[in-house]
Amino acid sequence: MSDRSPRARGIRRAAAAAAAGALAVTLAACSGASGGAGGGAAPAGEKTYSVGVTTYFLSHFLPGKAVGSNVDYAIYTPLTKVDTATGKAVNAVAESIESEDNKVWTIKIKKGWTFHNGEPVTAQSFADSWNATAYGPNAYTNNYMFANFKGYVDLNPAEGKPKAETLSGVEVTGTDTLKVTLDKPLALLPYVLAQSAFAPVPKAALTGADAFDRKPIGNGPYQMEGEGIVTGATKVSLKRFAGYAGTPGNAERIEVKSYQDEGAAYRDLQAGNIDVTLVSGNNLTSASTQFKDRLVQAPFPALMYLGFPLWDERFSDVRVRQAFSHAVDRQAIVKSLLRGFGRPATGLAGTTVPGGGADECSACTYDPAKARTLLAEAGGWKGPLKLWTYQDPLNTVILEAIGNQLRANLGIEAVTTQAQPVDQLYPNMTAKKIDGPVLLYMGAGYPHLYALADQLFTKGSAANVTGYADEEFASLMAEAAGAGPDEAVGLTRRATGHALGGLPLAPLFWPVGGLPHSAEVGGVKPEFLGGVALSAVTVG
């Protein structure tokens, strides 16, 4: 069974974004494309291009298992989408999403939408998809996303068999109408529904989920051709869906090539075998030199932070945590190690995340003198210090730099670092076996500040690895969940500011990726998670 936790999802996004990894897969170069570098099998004159992604992006396509990649959003169109210009959740397949109390919602669906096989998209199409994902025995990766839906516990009992097979909080009240009841109010439900995990499925997905997972039938602007993902496959072909009810894709065909890691995809881009890919770290530095005006920045809706083990008495005094935070020169890290591709964090989320951009962290300024004073007031530091992170080449470099700054600015001589695989590190943190600050990445579960705050600070959240628990924070978040969208932003900022006042973690920087592309394509822009928006790319 796959890990279904928000933590795992955040880390999977980290892996997708940073693409730290293993061996490169050498792909056969395509024959002459019509337009871009890819599309070897495309008919002459057809506008086609190719994109490189890591294998993670092509791992699953069933909404219940989908990773939320740009490929998923080419195949599926959920009820809503996030307007990248305004940061607002806007209707896509939904005609309207309304609630008087943010707990019971009425969702009306636009008419005229169909799946790639011609089957109409109805309210039942969404209910079928959501029930399958929420049903515990199916062990779908995105199951946890339905935890706030009424009836979830009946489908996922702690012991024994489920009491039901469908969510009591999802009722089909008409061909085009859904009634959704949550366990507690959530004003930001329209943002949640923008994820591919909430996409609809046709009847075929209910009788052959495994086959559907390899070759999906979606309702998005592109449909998958051929056999889909089969053993040994390193690419899939997407064809523009002529019956798409939304804004059609620009290219007629897209060839999606998979690579074991980001570096392999980038090298194939440099060799002219693909047209666009997502890069970060050292590859981003190289791309800024080679591709120049053909490099589009892609801010990730994520945070790199230094989490403090609150169970460790050495970090029980907030002044110690503040001292560590003030001792880290974020600007130097971004400038020298990230080559400017990142922003020093002044709060939990950057401006690209709805609700983000506020200066909520007073301890995020670089002030070595203040750091030394705070540490002295707290009784100073005795003994060695170990810093932790998950295995990632760039993380290792950043952690070494932080160690050097703590030595220089706090006078802690015996600083060591240790990296563990993700699947070891998180269980060790949960078991409180980690004995020092931890460098971690966290991506927003859905596009809003509330999501990040909820993941990192709510008691019981799988991503809350510091052990933080605070009643006032919980009260403000509950109030935000029940408020209107605009009021919810203000309340979430208050909650976030309160949490960062206690500093269970020190925000370090908001990571930025890049989308280098060939001269054969244009219109390159990132989706929310950083991958290129496939339907927006133009050819020629």
Side-chain angles (χ1 to χ4, degrees), residues 160-539:
K161 297 181 179 179
K163 298 178 182 177
E165 295 184 351
T166 59
L167 290 161
S168 59
V170 176
E171 301 174 67
V172 177
T173 57
T175 303
D176 303 313
T177 308
L178 278 170
K179 179 182 177 183
V180 174
T181 304
L182 305 178
D183 276 335
K184 58 183 180 181
L186 180 59
L188 303 173
L189 183 67
Y191 287 91
V192 175
L193 297 177
Q195 300 174 92
S196 58
F198 293 85
V201 295
K203 297 299 182 187
L206 306 179
T207 56
D210 290 342
F212 189 92
D213 195 31
R214 295 190 297 272
K215 187 181 179 185
I217 302 169
N219 65 328
Y222 287 90
Q223 60 188 101
M224 189 172 290
E225 292 187 309
E227 297 180 354
I229 293 297
V230 296
T231 302
T234 54
K235 62 183 178 183
V236 297
S237 181
L238 303 178
K239 180 182 178 181
R240 190 167 62 196
F241 176 38
Y244 186 58
T247 303
N250 285 310
E252 293 170 85
R253 196 180 303 270
I254 306 169
E255 189 169 72
V256 184
K257 297 182 179 180
S258 72
Y259 301 81
Q260 286 292 336
D261 63 60
E262 171 197 300
Y266 178 57
R267 289 191 289 277
D268 231 20
L269 174 69
Q270 291 176 302
N273 293 326
I274 58 176
D275 291 297
V276 59
T277 191
L278 175 65
V279 298
S280 60
N282 293 333
N283 294 321
L284 187 52
T285 304
S286 167
S288 66
T289 302
Q290 180 175 345
F291 290 85
K292 297 180 179 176
D293 60 346
R294 287 189 281 112
L295 174 65
V296 177
Q297 288 206 8
F300 295 128
L303 173 74
M304 286 296 295
Y305 68 93
L306 197 63
F308 298 107
L310 300 184
W311 57 84
D312 186 330
E313 288 189 1
R314 299 174 301 169
F315 295 96
S316 60
D317 192 321
V318 68
R319 292 172 295 183
V320 174
R321 304 194 293 272
Q322 290 169 339
F324 273 58
S325 184
H326 281 302
V328 177
D329 188 345
R330 294 161 175 78
Q331 185 65 50
I333 290 173
V334 168
K335 183 178 180 181
S336 61
L337 300 183
L338 305 181
R339 301 291 191 273
F341 292 102
R343 286 191 57 202
T346 57
L348 202 64
T351 56
T352 58
V353 177
D359 295 339
E360 305 146 330
C361 178
S362 59
C364 285
T365 56
Y366 180 53
D367 191 337
K370 188 173 184 179
R372 287 191 292 272
T373 299
L374 285 165
L375 188 62
E377 290 175 353
W381 183 266
K382 299 178 179 64
L385 170 68
K386 184 180 287 184
L387 305 176
W388 297 78
T389 191
Y390 56 89
Q391 291 179 344
D392 177 278
L394 184 58
N395 274 19
T396 301
V397 174
I398 293 172
L399 199 62
E400 289 290 348
I402 291 172
N404 289 334
Q405 292 176 359
L406 295 178
R407 286 189 193 95
N409 296 328
L410 294 179
I412 302 175
E413 294 296 334
V415 181
T416 58
T417 62
Q418 184 165 342
Q420 289 187 337
V422 168
D423 290 342
Q424 290 182 22
L425 183 64
Y426 274 87
N428 282 336
M429 286 188 288
T430 302
K432 301 181 178 179
K433 294 181 178 178
I434 297 301
D435 57 356
V438 188
L439 177 67
L440 292 172
Y441 173 108
M442 180 49 62
Y446 53 89
H448 201 279
L449 172 66
Y450 184 95
L452 264 180
D454 187 37
Q455 292 165 223
L456 290 170
F457 299 134
T458 293
K459 182 181 180 181
S461 165
N464 178 0
V465 295
T466 64
Y468 179 76
D470 186 274
E471 291 184 1
E472 184 172 345
F473 168 80
S475 175
L476 286 167
M477 289 292 280
E479 195 174 349
D486 293 335
E487 189 181 359
V489 169
L491 288 165
T492 304
R493 284 178 171 169
R494 283 179 57 193
T496 302
H498 176 77
L500 289 178
L503 211 65
L505 59 87
L508 295 180
F509 62 89
W510 300 311
V512 172
L515 294 167
H517 61 87
S518 73
E520 305 301 323
V521 298
V524 174
K525 65 178 184 179
E527 286 195 323
F528 177 69
L529 290 178
V532 61
L534 296 179
S535 64
V537 174
T538 59
V539 180

